[in-house]
Amino acid sequence: MKIALIAHLKFPIAEPFHGGLEMHTHCLTQELMARGHEVTLFALSASDPSFQIIEPTLNAVEKEGAVDLFQQEPGFGLEFVNKFHAYMEVVTTIQRGDFDIVHNNSLHFLPLSLAHTLGCPMVTTLHCPPFPSLQSGVILARPYLGNQFVAVSQSTAQQWAADITHCKIIHNGIQVDRWHTSTAGIPGTAFWYGRLCPEKGPEYAIQAVKQAGYKLRLAGSIYDQAYFDREIAPRLDEDITYIGHLDHRDICREAGRAAVGLFTSTWDEPFGLVLPEMLACGTPVVSFDSGAAGEILDDSCGIIVPKRDVAAMAAAMPRAAALDRAACRRRAESHFPIGRMISDYERLYQKLVPQVPTLPTVTPVLRGSIGVVA
């Protein structure tokens, strides 16, 4: 198939990944190409050079001294207008591209709003809970029969139930063979990695290891510098170490050497790819009861405790560290292999591709002022 894959335009689709969405998009592109599909990735140019990449124009916010004509308009600004025009460019390129199917991995309302103009079906993967602008795109896209929504977990599907009644669930997968198993972790050690920001809750991991008497190594991109400076940096010491934003090899090494992994998301995590990744390294996990955690972990490989319950997490760490590391690896292999995820998407593509859109292909023309999508 000839597939257009739309990434979000905040971070490159390349290692070291800023988060699970970048990793998911990278794996999806790589594995579809390996199966012989022709994939065009709409993403930032700094993305993996082994991919066929088209980068839409993103100039407005980069122009030094650019005048923000919309600064007095609520919801507007250079970034909004820039992304609007960038995704419009993606849409018009796809309209001219003779694609069989579009896979929308962005979090922007515009590709959904204009799905009926693309001339081919669209699969949109929902990687997050509902938020107003994306909901607007979903509402506009619903009448078009060429649309298929996919949630990355049952938890995410339930969050979207009021807006989407025909949502398919395809759990994320990982390239399990790239994650090397360790048969034993270093006693009394824990590992946490992800975006360092409030909704990921790394400060709770620090508090838990202090109570448990463990040492902790933290890794990931500093997504919110003010938060890091306020909540994380003051707590670092000889037992609590921030080791930077690591590539795959180093993440694999750190996860494998830890006795236990910690997962402390304080929002309803749509999936949480770090969970199967740590399991693939043989590392058992103590997780807050966040979103899809209960769909990923079972009693063989982890312990789930209430959100923000530091005492419960601390108490669970020695019990989790005693779990069978081989069972952790088996859980990742049996439930979250990338091949299963790709096959599920392929079957969905094949089901949709024969459908001929009933609406004509239309190149949208913008007239007048741009309105805010609430």
Side-chain angles (χ1 to χ4, degrees):
M1 296 182 191
K2 188 175 180 182
I3 302 169
L5 180 50
I6 307 175
H8 77 108
L9 301 176
K10 192 170 182 67
F11 300 113
I13 307 304
E15 292 187 39
F17 300 118
H18 277 267
L21 179 53
E22 292 81 17
M23 199 276 279
H24 176 276
T25 304
H26 189 277
C27 286
L28 188 63
T29 305
Q30 191 174 63
E31 295 291 331
L32 287 170
M33 288 172 56
R35 294 195 182 194
H37 300 289
E38 181 182 344
V39 182
T40 299
L41 178 64
F42 292 85
L44 298 182
S45 60
S47 299
D48 192 327
S50 68
F51 298 158
Q52 180 178 325
I53 297 167
I54 295 179
E55 180 184 45
T57 304
L58 280 166
N59 290 329
V61 296
E62 297 170 5
K63 292 179 180 177
E64 187 175 352
V67 177
D68 190 345
L69 301 176
F70 300 96
Q71 59 186 345
Q72 303 303 323
E73 298 289 337
F76 275 130
L78 282 175
E79 184 176 4
F80 173 87
V81 175
N82 196 22
K83 290 291 178 64
F84 186 97
H85 283 285
Y87 279 110
M88 183 63 75
E89 188 178 320
V90 170
V91 167
T92 56
T93 302
I94 291 172
Q95 289 169 345
R96 298 189 296 264
D98 191 30
F99 291 99
D100 295 310
I101 197 159
V102 176
H103 193 131
N104 177 26
N105 242 13
S106 75
L107 303 177
H108 202 272
F109 65 88
L110 196 60
L112 279 167
S113 304
L114 297 176
H116 64 284
T117 73
L118 298 178
C120 62
M122 174 187 277
V123 171
T124 294
T125 300
L126 300 168
H127 295 275
C128 60
F131 60 89
S133 66
L134 189 58
Q135 283 178 292
S136 298
V138 165
I139 290 167
L140 289 168
R142 282 186 309 193
Y144 178 50
L145 296 179
N147 261 320
Q148 174 66 61
F149 295 99
V150 175
V152 295
S153 64
Q154 182 66 48
S155 172
T156 301
Q158 289 171 350
Q159 290 177 303
W160 280 96
D163 300 299
I164 303 171
T165 58
H166 57 289
C167 192
K168 184 176 178 62
I169 298 167
I170 298 179
H171 279 143
N172 286 335
I174 63 170
Q175 294 167 313
V176 179
D177 291 345
R178 294 191 68 208
W179 297 88
H180 306 300
T181 308
S182 172
T183 56
I186 300 172
T189 62
F191 182 52
W192 184 103
Y193 71 103
R195 288 184 293 114
L196 286 117
C197 56
E199 65 267 23
K200 297 294 185 178
E203 73 269 27
Y204 295 102
I206 294 173
Q207 295 169 35
V209 298
K210 287 289 189 181
Q211 288 194 21
Y214 274 53
K215 293 185 177 182
L216 175 67
R217 289 166 75 82
L218 297 151
S221 61
I222 300 176
Y223 193 77
D224 185 329
Q225 186 67 55
Y227 162 80
F228 182 87
D229 293 342
R230 183 181 67 252
E231 300 291 342
I232 304 303
R235 293 182 162 103
L236 301 178
D237 57 29
E238 60 181 12
D239 292 329
I240 312 295
T241 309
Y242 171 62
I243 55 177
H245 188 194
L246 307 182
D247 62 15
H248 172 85
R249 182 188 63 182
D250 290 337
I251 286 286
C252 190
R253 184 191 69 246
E254 292 293 334
R257 70 193 292 272
V260 63
L262 301 179
F263 187 77
T264 54
S265 285
T266 58
W267 71 320
D268 286 326
E269 190 71 47
F271 188 79
L273 278 163
V274 300
L275 291 170
E277 289 170 357
M278 285 195 282
L279 297 182
C281 293
T283 306
V285 180
V286 181
S287 171
F288 283 171
D289 189 4
S290 171
E295 300 173 50
I296 300 172
L297 301 175
D298 65 9
D299 292 342
S300 72
C301 60
I303 298 173
I304 295 176
V305 300
K307 280 184 188 176
R308 299 183 177 86
D309 193 333
V310 171
M313 175 165 276
M317 288 168 60
R319 291 187 286 121
L323 293 172
D324 182 3
R325 295 178 75 92
C328 297
R329 173 72 178 197
R330 287 194 297 270
R331 178 73 177 175
E333 290 174 333
S334 62
H335 286 72
F336 307 106
I338 192 67
R340 183 270 310 154
M341 184 190 88
I342 298 299
S343 293
D344 286 348
Y345 277 118
E346 277 187 318
R347 282 190 288 269
L348 186 56
Y349 298 162
Q350 290 160 0
K351 179 181 177 182
L352 292 172
V353 165
Q355 296 184 15
V356 178
T358 56
L359 296 177
T361 300
V362 177
T363 300
V365 178
L366 299 180
R367 293 185 177 90
S369 62
I370 302 171
V372 176
V373 177

